[in-house]
Amino acid sequence: MATFLYKLGRLAFRRRHFVALIWVALLTLAGVGAASAPPAGTTSFSIPGTEAQKAFDLLEERFPGAAADGATARVVFKAPDGEKMTDPDNKAAVEKTVADLADGSEVASVADPYTGNAVSKDGTIAYASVKYDVSGMELEDSTKDALEGAAQQARDAGLTVEIGGDALQAVPHTGTTEIIGIAVAAVVLVITFGSLVAAGLPLLTALIGVGIGVSSITALASALELGSTTSILAMMIGLAVGIDYALFIVSRYRAELAEGREREEAAGRAVGTAGSAVVFAGLTVVIALVGLAVVNIPMLTKMGVAAAGTVAIAVVIALTLVPALLGYAGRRVKPAGAKGKLLGRGRKSADRAAEKTGGARPKANLGTRWARFVVRRPLAVLLLGVIGLGAAAVPAASLELGLPDDGSQPTSTTQRRAYDLLSEGFGPGFNGPLMVVVDAKGSDAPQQVFTDVSDEIKGLDDVVAVTPPQPNKDGDTATITVVPDSKPSSVQTEDLVHAIRDAGADIEADTGAETLVTGSTAMNIDVSQKLNDALLPYLVLVVGLAFLLLIVVFRSILVPLKAALGFLLSVMAALGAVVAVFQWGWLSGLMGVEETGPVMSMMPIFMVGVVFGLAMDYEVFLVTRMREAYVHGEQPDQAVITGFKHGARVVTAAAVIMMAVFAGFIGSSESMIKMIGFGLAIAVFFDAFVVRMAIVPAVLALLGKKAWWLPKWLDRALPNVDVEGEGLRDLGDDDKDEDRALVRT
């Protein structure tokens, strides 16, 4: 592989005009596609194989025209202090609001609070339920304006009015902190390279890759039903890995220049060595993201595949566009150690000055000094790193899972204020009613079955109210609304869902009628369970495939095993940090977390996938340098030091950049994006600076030559991918004949 990538790098360097033109054309094509694509329609959230989804499908079949997936709104009214909602003036204002809402072209129905028993017992709070024919993402702006306008008229009449439900849902935004993250990345690159040109290359190529990826997602959003979260996730991961992959290529290019090679040759060797690491690091990320399909939640699968596509684009750009731009940059990208005027003369200039004056050479860089320290005291460093990560992982033992609802929204939103008013007037469980669907098609007495189910539910614990059964036109299916006593995300409500399902199983055994529980609360419970059940198979699949891939890369058994165990430490520590902030409330003010609660259900499996892929990035980039030194004859301890000498500074810069990019998404208005941004940022910190920078060299120092042991039969069976670039040692600067043949083909 190294030889092929070497030729590809030289070809891209030499044919830079052609390569640049191709990428500009792809970016333009994707941009035009995104601009001309129809707006994204509804994003279906289905969870195949769950009872909640089965009940939802049954509703659509047995209650045609009911718009089961249509948007809903709850317009919540609160009377001024000392007044009641039944007072004539307040009642008139509400009735006028209801009449105005009913005139909307997309409105399916509006329930009057005074005829639908929707006034609180103390008479201070009432609500009107609005049902629409289309989903929240498909609502016309005029319909949303009419909803807000009707609410404003009631406010002008002296009432407090808030709007809950999904009718006013908006596309999440990431805030200005995303720009700050990119700015931090730019500063780190300038410090690393000491040159604006060299620093600008990774940023430019990463932005091009993200532009192509996100534009492609936007262009396909309507056809593939991709949600707004999909493009944000692709941007987050694509930007981080795009900068890092280009950073490693440029860094290796500067190191090759420092060895005295011509620029085209240096570009070829940079792509042949660091590019090999980029390919395999990118493959681990792609495997982890595509592997999310095993969960069988279409939305999660689409998010993973879209992000994986953006990572693949970042890999190809690093292998082709980066060497092409290096060709354009020419002498403006200087050899390693020969920094420009921006940050001083650089290490080589200082070395020459010291030699002329008879002074001592400068001391070794920080990476070399740290590696020497770890090699001298490997056991102490190993124990300290493991104990530290273990302590950070302790909160993960209290992990509670759930999905966000209006109760997790910021208090500045009308959805959250409506949620609080409903809890105040009708109890916390009113925000998460359960929809019980009774299928009595095979029963001889459907009406009696409906009554039996209703009576059975009334006798369960944690039930506040049960509405009378509402049968369909055929009389064979009915819906029953159950209001729990506890809030939607509580353990008590989850227990109630299971209790209703258990009671339904007994009724089905006696009558043949099937009882199903659905609604947003039940769906959230089913999603959490499905994700929990899929976590272990997913972990085995992703870690297993990546383990095999790393055996091929490192030609070792213990190094990939150590990499996998180190990943488990870092991901558990990161989950512990997420629990501490988002569930316990530590530093919640600093992170902009206004409401603590259960951790998002998909967070553990998502972090396992993404963090594993990113963790392997640093493993591949850092350890391949050590492997390269070992293969070229150095002793194991010295190979560790050499790997840190050449790779620690760059890996550190890459980790800081990735942390800055992820942390930039903490400013998102979407709680899921905020949590993902924080979780990935802290996971990169733990993995890069504790696992890869401390635990990995300590373990390698303890293992010595055993770290690189591989059974002879397996060594013969494995393909030689030559990540270390051993095959490039015999290539000279004038070896261009095969390159010309590659151009012709």
Side-chain angles (χ1 to χ4, degrees):
M1 175 176 285
T3 304
F4 170 77
L5 293 178
Y6 163 81
K7 296 174 182 177
L8 179 63
R10 291 188 61 173
L11 175 64
F13 185 96
R14 196 164 55 247
R15 304 289 184 178
R16 48 187 172 273
H17 302 308
F18 181 68
V19 172
L21 182 62
I22 289 177
W23 284 110
V24 170
L26 289 175
L27 179 61
T28 304
L29 183 63
V32 171
S36 58
T42 179
T43 303
S44 60
F45 182 78
S46 61
I47 41 176
T50 62
E51 180 173 315
Q53 185 65 43
K54 183 179 179 180
F56 186 82
D57 296 338
L58 184 65
L59 281 174
E60 289 191 325
E61 176 189 341
R62 302 287 175 85
F63 292 82
D69 61 344
T72 59
R74 274 180 172 174
V75 184
V76 188
F77 307 90
K78 184 176 182 180
D81 292 341
E83 298 182 17
K84 303 283 188 181
M85 289 305 304
T86 52
D87 293 346
D89 290 345
N90 294 336
K91 185 175 181 180
V94 172
E95 289 178 340
K96 184 178 188 310
T97 301
V98 170
D100 290 343
L101 290 172
D103 290 338
S105 59
E106 295 180 310
V107 175
S109 63
V110 180
D112 189 305
Y114 302 102
T115 60
N117 194 25
V119 180
S120 62
K121 291 181 179 180
D122 62 5
T124 60
I125 297 175
Y127 70 91
S129 296
V130 187
K131 182 74 173 176
Y132 294 92
D133 293 322
V134 296
S135 67
M137 296 301 292
E138 292 177 311
L139 282 178
E140 299 286 345
D141 289 339
S142 58
T143 300
K144 296 181 180 181
D145 293 341
L147 175 60
E148 293 176 326
Q152 186 58 48
Q153 288 183 3
R155 292 190 188 102
D156 295 339
L159 300 175
T160 298
V161 186
E162 304 296 345
I163 304 172
D166 60 352
L168 293 182
Q169 66 179 345
V171 176
H173 59 83
T174 54
T176 56
T177 50
E178 178 188 350
I179 306 301
I180 296 175
I182 296 176
V184 171
V187 171
V188 172
L189 288 169
V190 170
I191 294 174
T192 303
F193 292 136
S195 164
L196 290 176
V197 174
L201 282 178
L203 278 177
L204 176 61
T205 54
L207 290 174
I208 291 174
V210 167
I212 294 173
V214 173
S215 296
S216 300
I217 292 171
T218 304
L220 298 173
S222 177
L224 301 181
E225 296 184 358
L226 303 178
S228 56
T229 307
T230 303
S231 59
I232 293 178
L233 176 65
M235 180 190 304
M236 181 192 303
I237 297 177
L239 191 60
V241 301
I243 293 175
D244 277 7
Y245 294 165
L247 167 65
F248 282 101
I249 297 289
V250 175
S251 297
R252 188 57 184 256
Y253 171 76
R254 297 176 72 236
E256 295 294 337
L257 289 179
E259 296 292 329
R261 293 189 171 88
E262 294 296 326
R263 295 189 177 273
E264 182 179 328
E265 177 69 12
R269 289 179 177 269
V271 175
T273 51
S276 298
V278 166
V279 169
F280 283 99
L283 274 176
T284 59
V285 180
V286 169
I287 288 172
L289 290 171
V290 174
L292 291 170
V294 302
V295 185
N296 196 26
I297 295 180
M299 184 189 75
L300 193 60
T301 300
K302 292 174 184 177
M303 290 171 63
V305 172
T310 308
V311 171
I313 292 172
V315 170
V316 179
I317 280 183
L319 300 178
T320 58
L321 185 58
V322 169
L325 294 182
L326 288 173
Y328 282 115
R331 298 186 179 278
R332 288 186 289 273
V333 176
K334 300 182 180 299
K339 295 182 179 179
K341 298 179 180 179
L342 186 63
L343 292 177
R345 296 175 298 172
R347 187 172 64 251
K348 283 186 174 263
S349 298
D351 290 350
R352 287 193 295 267
E355 289 172 359
K356 288 180 181 179
T357 58
R361 294 179 63 84
K363 61 182 179 180
N365 63 24
L366 182 60
T368 302
R369 298 198 303 274
W370 170 250
R372 288 172 179 167
F373 171 80
V374 174
V375 167
R376 287 197 303 270
R377 298 175 179 83
L379 188 59
V381 172
L382 176 62
L383 291 176
L384 185 62
V386 171
I387 292 172
L389 290 178
V394 168
S398 303
L399 177 67
E400 296 178 8
L401 298 177
L403 287 179
D405 54 19
D406 284 348
S408 61
Q409 296 272 4
T411 53
S412 58
T413 62
T414 185
Q415 291 93 337
R416 171 60 188 279
R417 292 195 294 265
Y419 180 97
D420 292 340
L421 285 177
L422 288 172
S423 296
E424 176 187 341
F426 302 92
F430 196 78
N431 284 291
L434 306 175
M435 175 74 73
V436 179
V437 183
V438 184
D439 180 9
K441 193 169 186 177
S443 175
D444 296 332
Q447 292 298 330
Q448 185 59 44
V449 171
F450 301 154
T451 303
D452 291 345
V453 172
S454 179
D455 293 341
E456 186 74 21
I457 294 173
K458 288 177 182 178
L460 297 175
D461 294 335
D462 205 49
V463 174
V464 171
V466 179
T467 64
Q470 301 294 321
N472 62 349
K473 290 182 180 180
D474 296 336
D476 58 7
T477 307
T479 60
I480 302 172
T481 301
V482 181
V483 178
D485 186 41
S486 305
K487 64 181 182 178
S489 58
S490 66
V491 175
Q492 292 85 348
T493 300
E494 182 177 352
D495 291 340
L496 176 60
V497 170
H498 293 310
I500 295 174
R501 288 172 173 171
D502 291 340
D506 295 336
I507 293 174
E508 182 178 6
D510 296 336
T511 66
E514 189 175 18
T515 301
L516 306 171
V517 185
T518 188
S520 60
T521 302
M523 278 199 169
N524 289 352
I525 293 170
D526 286 351
V527 168
S528 298
Q529 187 61 49
K530 193 176 182 70
L531 289 166
N532 285 340
D533 293 343
L535 182 58
L536 184 58
Y538 174 72
L539 191 62
V540 171
L541 173 68
V542 171
V543 175
L545 288 176
F547 181 77
L548 295 176
L549 185 66
L550 292 179
I551 289 178
V552 174
V553 173
F554 295 127
R555 308 194 75 78
S556 164
I557 298 293
L558 296 179
V559 171
L561 180 61
K562 171 239 353 150
L565 294 176
F567 150 74
L568 291 176
L569 274 175
S570 59
V571 79
M572 289 303 298
L575 275 176
V578 169
V579 170
V581 173
F582 291 89
Q583 188 175 309
W584 292 359
W586 294 5
L587 301 177
S588 57
L590 181 63
M591 297 297 166
V593 180
E594 296 187 11
E595 185 72 19
T596 59
V599 173
M600 183 180 61
S601 297
M602 65 179 66
M603 195 67 189
I605 198 166
F606 186 80
M607 284 190 66
V608 165
V610 177
V611 174
F612 183 79
L614 300 179
M616 293 307 102
D617 278 3
Y618 301 114
E619 180 75 13
V620 170
F621 288 132
L622 192 60
V623 180
T624 47
R625 269 292 197 173
M626 301 177 190
R627 168 77 180 169
E628 184 177 340
Y630 178 76
V631 168
H632 291 168
E634 293 187 6
Q635 292 299 309
D637 284 359
Q638 184 58 42
V640 171
I641 296 171
T642 301
F644 268 77
K645 175 183 177 182
H646 294 292
R649 178 185 178 90
V650 180
V651 169
T652 300
V656 172
I657 289 169
M658 196 170 281
M659 288 168 55
V661 172
F662 288 148
F665 289 85
I666 296 175
S668 173
S669 62
E670 179 71 31
S671 59
M672 182 171 74
I673 297 298
K674 182 189 295 287
M675 191 179 294
I676 289 175
F678 171 80
L680 294 183
I682 198 70
V684 168
F685 171 78
F686 287 144
D687 196 86
F689 293 105
V690 181
V691 174
R692 309 304 153 188
M693 290 291 192
I695 294 177
V696 165
V699 171
L700 291 177
L702 288 171
L703 291 175
K705 291 185 178 181
K706 296 176 183 175
W708 308 108
W709 171 79
L710 186 69
K712 292 183 178 180
W713 64 267
L714 185 57
D715 186 41
R716 291 191 298 269
L718 291 178
N720 183 15
V721 295
D722 190 21
V723 176
E724 303 85 15
E726 183 69 18
L728 303 182
R729 301 186 72 183
D730 299 329
L731 293 176
D733 290 349
D734 57 349
D735 184 17
K736 301 178 181 178
D737 295 338
E738 294 187 12
D739 296 334
R740 295 191 183 99
L742 180 61
V743 173
R744 289 194 294 270
T745 57

